[in-house]
Amino acid sequence: MSVLPPLEAEIRRRIAAAGPMPVGEYMSLCLADSEHGYYTTHDPFGAGGDFITAPEVSQMFGEMIGLWMAAVWKQMGAPDNLRIIELGPGRGTMMKDALRAAKVMPGFRDTIVVHLVEISPALEAYQQRNLESVGAPVYWHRALAEVPAGPAIVVANEFFDALPINQAVKGEHGWHERAIEIDEQGRLAFTTAPDPLPRFDLLLPAAVRNAPEGSIFEWRSDVIGMELGQRLARDGGAALVIDYGHAESAAGETLQAVGRHAYANLLSAPGTVDLTAHVDFQAFMAAVESMGVNGFGPLTQSQFLRRLGILTRAASLKAKTADPAVVTTIDAALKRLISEGEVGMGALFKAAAFAHPSLGVPPGFES
Ligand code: SAH
């Protein structure tokens, strides 16, 4: 028999010892296991890469985020000591582009300390190289809770989709948690718990409660959203969260595995492909707001980037070059970022902001 990948062996051992493994625990091990998890062992953007994110599509994305941060700083009264926190910075590209663009706001860069929250040692090394000369001190942390107190601007792009979700399937007598078992052929397979989750209906939005039998509902832990809200409410500041997902809670399976830019099987080769699921912005925003901050949006990524002036930025980049190939590249990147059609991230991706009640409406979120 062939040797199993180490994480699969561990998952099988746990199922054999404790019974079917809930989807949330499986996803958490696959992504974040400290020895064999996808993010702990891979650079998803590396040679060939598994996927591409907005900051890697074009510098314009990070630049818009930089303008947003600088405008929020101004709105906060230009404090002389501000933490810039990024959750899940990937290669550090967005922060690098953002801090370069924020130079247009005099004084901003002299007042900031950058805090990156990252679990992947491989990506942390990348971020160190990329942010070497940004002109501000940079510190790394494994969790948001480890970042020292103080007023902050928090940004996160494609971070929350990588946090584990749980799934339940609607049956005749209620919702049953979905789990992973070892089937009769000895393969990892989905199953559902025999007993329904007690009082699960109470947790569900009304629209989902009436979903037909067989429907799947996904939910995430509210913990990081609540930590974020608590921090902003206590210390002041604002947050910008961009991710793909739906504006309103809904039934439906969105959990997916991606490797080498193609969909992969969720249960084969755990730990070697990326697992993500839509962000349920309604649930996420409620969690953050419950801690006493105001929430704004979600806007589509397209609306948000246009409001910040991405069209003007693209035009000025194009005006700087005489090379038609560069112009084509800029146009293609712009389309990818803001098109609401099939090729684009413009509609599926959404931007939400949160702010301490004293701050008012963050830039771009005016109604
Ligand atoms: N923001 C980047 C990367 C997105 S990929 C971009 O847009 O390109 C998700 C990022 O979150 C990676 O950096 C990954 O290592 C990190 N990550 C995933 N789970 C995490 C967790 N639980 N805590 C901290 N970082 C995490």
Side-chain angles (χ1 to χ4, degrees):
M1 199 180 141
S2 64
V3 180
L4 289 174
L7 188 60
E8 181 165 353
E10 170 66 14
I11 287 167
R12 285 170 175 269
R13 197 185 59 72
R14 291 198 192 193
I15 294 173
M21 173 180 288
V23 167
E25 183 182 341
Y26 176 78
M27 189 170 172
S28 173
L29 284 171
C30 287
L31 292 178
D33 179 70
S34 58
E35 252 184 282
H36 307 299
Y38 175 77
Y39 281 113
T40 24
T41 56
H42 285 66
D43 169 7
F45 313 97
D50 286 327
F51 55 84
I52 185 160
T53 55
E56 305 295 333
V57 167
S58 164
Q59 69 183 72
M60 294 184 285
F61 184 81
E63 288 169 350
M64 293 303 115
I65 307 301
L67 298 183
W68 187 85
M69 296 194 306
V72 170
W73 172 74
K74 194 83 195 233
Q75 206 176 6
M76 290 170 74
D80 56 16
N81 190 352
L82 177 71
R83 302 191 191 287
I84 298 289
I85 305 173
E86 183 174 359
L87 309 177
R91 286 191 156 183
T93 309
M94 181 173 100
M95 188 56 72
K96 185 178 166 192
D97 292 335
L99 295 182
R100 187 185 59 249
K103 273 188 204 162
V104 298
M105 182 68 81
F108 173 71
R109 286 210 311 185
D110 308 328
T111 68
I112 61 167
V113 176
V114 178
H115 295 271
L116 303 178
V117 176
E118 177 57 70
I119 48 163
S120 159
L123 289 176
E124 180 179 326
Y126 230 104
Q127 293 153 18
Q128 277 174 6
R129 288 199 293 278
N130 241 336
L131 296 171
E132 230 160 37
S133 50
V134 287
V138 185
Y139 297 96
W140 278 265
H141 311 272
R142 290 277 179 263
L144 176 60
E146 291 171 15
V147 181
I153 295 175
V154 185
V155 292
N157 185 59
E158 288 210 47
F159 169 74
F160 286 95
D161 69 58
L163 300 182
I165 50 140
N166 308 288
Q167 289 183 329
V169 183
K170 187 162 183 189
E172 199 185 335
H173 303 292
W175 293 82
H176 300 254
E177 180 151 31
R178 204 162 183 228
I180 289 131
E181 63 171 2
I182 300 167
D183 72 7
E184 281 165 8
Q185 284 85 46
R187 294 171 306 206
L188 295 180
F190 283 107
T191 181
T192 50
D195 295 325
L197 290 158
R199 295 166 160 269
F200 192 67
D201 269 7
L202 296 178
L203 188 145
L204 287 172
V208 179
R209 233 172 276 159
N210 303 323
E213 261 181 50
S215 299
I216 292 183
F217 181 67
E218 299 175 334
W219 74 100
R220 279 192 170 85
S221 157
D222 285 334
V223 170
I224 298 188
M226 289 168 75
E227 273 176 22
L228 175 63
Q230 195 173 34
R231 172 170 188 122
L232 295 178
R234 189 191 61 202
D235 298 349
L240 177 66
V241 172
I242 302 180
D243 220 312
Y244 80 107
H246 37 273
E248 281 167 22
S249 303
E253 177 169 36
T254 70
L255 178 62
Q256 62 176 35
V258 170
R260 309 261 151 205
H261 297 278
Y263 292 110
N265 187 308
L266 285 165
L267 299 181
S268 63
T272 66
V273 292
D274 186 36
L275 301 183
T276 64
H278 275 205
V279 171
D280 174 345
F281 275 92
Q282 185 181 337
F284 173 68
M285 292 186 72
V288 184
E289 290 169 30
S290 74
M291 304 312 287
V293 295
N294 294 332
F296 303 88
L299 304 174
T300 64
Q301 174 167 305
S302 180
Q303 283 172 315
F304 178 67
L305 293 177
R306 284 167 197 264
R307 285 181 182 192
L308 290 179
I310 196 166
L311 297 178
T312 312
R313 180 61 183 145
S316 94
L317 282 175
K318 285 195 281 183
K320 280 188 196 141
T321 176
D323 181 350
V326 175
V327 171
T328 308
T329 307
I330 294 168
D331 281 333
L334 184 65
K335 192 165 173 194
R336 182 100 187 251
L337 291 176
I338 68 173
S339 160
E340 303 198 346
E342 276 287 295
V343 295
M345 313 172 101
L348 179 59
F349 281 75
K350 314 236 167 11
F354 303 94
H356 187 277
S358 67
L359 192 77
V361 183
F365 288 87
E366 304 83 4
S367 52

